[in-house]
Amino acid sequence: ITFLRELTYQYLRLAHPELKEKLGDGLCSDTSLNREDSYLKNYKKSHKKGYKTARAFQVKGEKLRPLELGVMHGYMSVQDLKKACRSYDVSINEYLAAAFLWSIYQECLHGAPSKRPISSCVPVNLRPYFNSITMKNFFVIVSAVFHPQKESYSFAEVAQIVAESLRSQINREHLENLFAYNVSNEKNFILRAVPLFLKNIAIRYVYHNSARANTTTVTNIGNIQVKEEYQEYIRDFSAMLSMSEGQDIKGTICSYRDTLVFTISSSLADVSVQRGFFRRLAEDGIAVRIETNGVYGE
């Protein structure tokens, strides 16, 4: 985000000479170039296995044509969203993750019980929890889990289940255990001595199992802040995820000022999950403007 924000500033200075004349051509004063490895700095020995590998429900269906990716942006007011979240006593992140899993539950399982849970990867930025300003990667993955084991859950029930699932994992102790498990493998001298081709085989096996432990991914890039001088030149920010094994539909959250954009990227031709998601938001009084990349209309 820091890099892309600086790139945006540079583009705007090139496109609008009055900005360059006023602001100069250097890096923003609050841009950090810190390269600390915060994983190692905050590592404490742990032997707990951090990530689950039990298989989750998979969204399947007819694929788009090769090399095509469907992208659907939903633009909404942050204030409208906060009002809906308060009615369920959940955060924005919890509400949107719950609404996405709810849509999969309704559109793919039609409200029926499932042997496998509906689960979403949720990346967590570790910097605020460990007072880090590093520009290197410093995050872990938790899972928002909803396992429909009875008939007809209400959305309020799903929202609470997802919120409790996330809250039980997003705390310093649990987050510390997650990345400590990874770092301990990196520091293991026996594993470091294993030939690279064997490590690659093992990594592929681990990836294959862990990839199918989640139905989808919902990542929150957060609220993008820019310097006041650039604000009038920027309408909004959005982001999207590419596909990965076992996950043919994903969601990305990105906000700027009072506009939040929920972007759904998918390699599937059917858009019922997207419709169900935005319909859920509309039912809670959130007005959504939808924009696509044109793939679905062809």
Side-chain angles (χ1 to χ4, degrees):
I1 295 302
T2 299
F3 170 72
L4 291 174
R5 184 166 47 209
E6 285 290 350
L7 196 62
T8 302
Y9 290 166
Q10 175 68 0
Y11 170 81
L12 289 172
R13 290 194 296 266
L14 290 171
H16 303 278
E18 70 274 15
L19 280 175
K20 185 171 183 178
E21 184 177 339
K22 179 181 178 181
L23 300 170
D25 206 23
L27 291 178
C28 176
S29 59
D30 58 0
T31 293
S32 168
L33 299 177
N34 187 296
R35 298 281 295 166
E36 171 190 274
D37 188 332
S38 289
Y39 289 114
L40 285 176
K41 180 182 177 181
N42 294 282
Y43 167 70
K44 292 181 181 177
K45 192 172 183 180
S46 172
H47 297 290
K48 294 181 180 179
K49 184 178 179 181
Y51 298 96
K52 64 187 183 72
T53 55
R55 192 165 179 177
F57 175 79
Q58 307 290 303
V59 179
K60 297 180 180 179
E62 180 188 350
K63 296 286 187 75
L64 292 167
R65 289 174 293 189
L67 304 181
E68 279 191 338
L69 182 69
V71 179
M72 191 175 293
H73 301 296
Y75 298 82
M76 65 201 78
S77 162
V78 172
Q79 294 307 312
D80 287 350
L81 192 53
K82 285 182 176 178
K83 185 177 179 181
C85 292
R86 283 194 294 269
S87 69
Y88 296 102
D89 194 26
V90 296
S91 69
I92 287 178
N93 209 40
E94 291 164 350
Y95 173 84
L96 291 172
F100 204 49
L101 296 189
W102 164 265
S103 178
I104 293 171
Y105 167 62
Q106 290 293 311
E107 303 301 327
C108 302
L109 289 170
H110 308 292
S114 171
K115 292 181 180 178
R116 297 192 174 110
I118 306 171
S119 176
S120 173
C121 287
V122 178
V124 178
N125 174 21
L126 294 173
R127 292 169 185 83
Y129 296 92
F130 297 92
N131 298 316
S132 171
I133 59 169
T134 184
M135 289 295 100
K136 296 185 75 173
N137 277 346
F138 192 40
F139 73 98
V140 294
I141 303 290
V142 300
S143 293
V145 181
F146 163 52
H147 193 170
Q149 296 177 308
K150 65 174 187 177
E151 296 283 349
S152 302
Y153 287 82
S154 69
F155 176 67
E157 288 179 296
V158 174
Q160 288 305 311
I161 290 169
V162 169
E164 289 169 13
S165 173
L166 289 173
R167 291 172 193 177
S168 68
Q169 300 171 77
I170 303 178
N171 58 74
R172 180 172 172 134
E173 182 181 0
H174 181 69
L175 298 174
E176 198 171 68
N177 284 335
L178 287 178
F179 73 78
Y181 177 75
N182 293 342
V183 175
S184 66
N185 287 331
E186 179 184 333
K187 293 170 71 70
N188 187 306
F189 287 103
I190 296 175
L191 291 177
R192 289 171 69 176
V194 174
L196 182 59
F197 79 94
L198 291 177
K199 287 180 183 176
N200 287 338
I201 293 172
I203 287 170
R204 280 195 294 270
Y205 174 78
V206 170
Y207 171 74
H208 176 77
N209 285 337
S210 61
R212 295 185 178 276
N214 284 285
T215 307
T216 184
T217 294
V218 175
T219 184
N220 191 342
I221 304 299
N223 180 260
I224 308 298
Q225 304 283 337
V226 301
K227 290 179 70 68
E228 185 178 353
E229 294 87 349
Y230 296 99
Q231 289 179 5
E232 65 178 283
Y233 298 91
I234 300 171
R235 186 190 69 185
D236 54 64
F237 285 90
S238 59
M240 66 179 186
L241 291 173
S242 60
M243 300 300 95
S244 58
E245 182 180 346
Q247 297 186 30
D248 292 322
I249 185 167
K250 297 183 180 183
T252 313
I253 305 164
C254 198
S255 64
Y256 173 63
R257 301 173 92 170
D258 187 51
T259 300
L260 181 142
V261 186
F262 192 101
T263 299
I264 302 175
S265 48
S266 175
S267 58
L268 299 172
D270 184 62
V271 294
S272 58
V273 171
Q274 292 91 319
R275 276 199 306 266
F277 173 78
F278 291 120
R279 189 185 301 123
R280 175 65 257 168
L281 270 57
E283 288 173 1
D284 284 331
I286 302 168
V288 183
R289 176 173 64 86
I290 295 174
E291 180 180 278
T292 76
N293 65 340
V295 166
Y296 300 116
E298 294 178 359

